[in-house]
Amino acid sequence: MPDVETIKVTRAVSEPAIAEGACMDVVAVCTMADVHADDGAVGVTAIDKRPTSFPVTVHALGIRGDIQADRKHHGGADKALYAFAQAEAEYWSAVLKREIPFGFFGENLRVSGSVDAFEFGARIRLGEVEMEATGPRTPCMTFARWMGRPRFVKEFSRRGRHGVYFRVLKAGKIETKDRIEVVSTPGHGVTIADWVAEPTAERAEALLESQRAGRLSIADYVAKHVNAAAGRRNA
């Protein structure tokens, strides 16, 4: 039966944007383990990822061999890889009183640092691969069903650390021993966590100005929210 126990979720504290030159360790590189039955419209889910013990090839749509069952809402070039922080997995393990194995939240990368502190458009190097942070995960009911918690979308959202999607700029191989290096940041100062916490008109305008200056390419799935927030400033 679904777990209906009420849990207390602590809002994560604000952090400064991760600077150029910063490095962090990858704890695990994960890819699809199996497809599971799901009560949603698609009928199955590929959220269950498992760590690999060998190098994997990354191309424009993610790790070779990884899949997304619901391709309308998941995957694609702007959501090619999903990274989640190890500290957040440990937080949820403590709150839910259960283990959160590598890949269990659907992440391709379990990372030692605070990935949510990447600016939109931050470019990173991992092994042979170069990637760009496009935006936060949008938790969905598939995730809630997978966790066995009907309220998990709200619980996860309340925490404010969703993890980060990346688009692939340069294909190649990655493995767990590789480190993430921040190659460049657009400099607008709006982090993924900032936007999740408060998608303000001021932050939206900062992102749009960075895009107009050619320093950022806002992903389509984020752009509609950014444009809506910017519109509220002029309303």
Side-chain angles (χ1 to χ4, degrees):
M1 293 181 63
D3 182 359
V4 294
E5 176 191 3
T6 300
I7 60 172
K8 183 178 180 180
V9 179
T10 303
R11 189 75 177 179
V13 298
S14 179
E15 300 174 87
I18 297 174
E20 292 180 13
C23 294
M24 57 185 72
D25 293 324
V26 173
V27 183
V29 175
C30 306
T31 188
M32 190 196 72
D34 203 354
V35 174
H36 297 265
D38 177 65
D39 288 339
V42 177
V44 295
T45 175
I47 194 172
D48 185 17
K49 315 295 183 187
R50 303 285 172 84
T52 64
S53 57
F54 48 84
V56 296
T57 299
V58 175
H59 50 66
L61 295 179
I63 295 175
R64 182 174 292 166
D66 195 22
I67 68 168
Q68 299 81 35
D70 179 2
R71 294 187 179 179
K72 180 179 179 181
H73 299 103
H74 303 289
D78 288 335
K79 301 178 180 180
L81 278 88
Y82 171 52
F84 194 72
Q86 173 64 13
E88 287 304 303
E90 292 170 0
Y91 169 84
W92 284 109
S93 180
V95 168
L96 297 173
K97 298 179 175 61
R98 61 176 294 179
E99 184 182 1
I100 306 296
F102 298 145
F104 191 73
F105 274 9
E107 75 272 18
N108 301 112
L109 304 174
R110 180 76 68 86
V111 181
S112 65
S114 180
V115 294
D116 299 87
F118 281 127
E119 284 187 4
F120 285 86
R123 296 192 173 192
I124 71 166
R125 183 180 296 115
L126 175 61
E128 300 175 350
V129 176
E130 293 185 12
M131 300 183 286
E132 182 178 4
T134 57
R137 174 193 197 150
T138 303
C140 63
M141 289 309 298
T142 300
F143 190 23
R145 288 189 295 269
W146 174 246
M147 296 300 297
R149 299 189 62 85
R151 294 191 293 268
F152 197 64
V153 169
K154 290 184 178 180
E155 293 167 342
F156 189 77
S157 298
R158 192 177 303 126
R159 174 67 177 166
R161 291 292 185 271
H162 292 193
V164 177
Y165 283 124
F166 290 92
R167 66 166 63 104
V168 175
L169 305 176
K170 178 185 175 184
K173 291 185 181 296
I174 62 173
E175 56 185 313
T176 301
K177 71 178 184 179
D178 294 331
R179 300 194 79 202
I180 287 174
E181 177 190 357
V182 182
V183 176
S184 66
T185 60
H188 50 68
V190 182
T191 69
I192 307 296
D194 287 340
W195 184 256
V196 169
E198 291 186 88
T200 64
E202 291 74 18
R203 286 170 174 164
E205 187 54 43
L207 294 174
L208 290 170
E209 175 58 31
S210 187
Q211 180 165 258
R212 288 191 288 267
R215 297 189 297 269
L216 173 65
S217 177
I218 301 173
D220 288 344
Y221 86 99
V222 175
K224 58 184 178 182
H225 302 293
V226 171
N227 290 327
R232 290 196 292 271
R233 185 174 191 174
N234 301 318

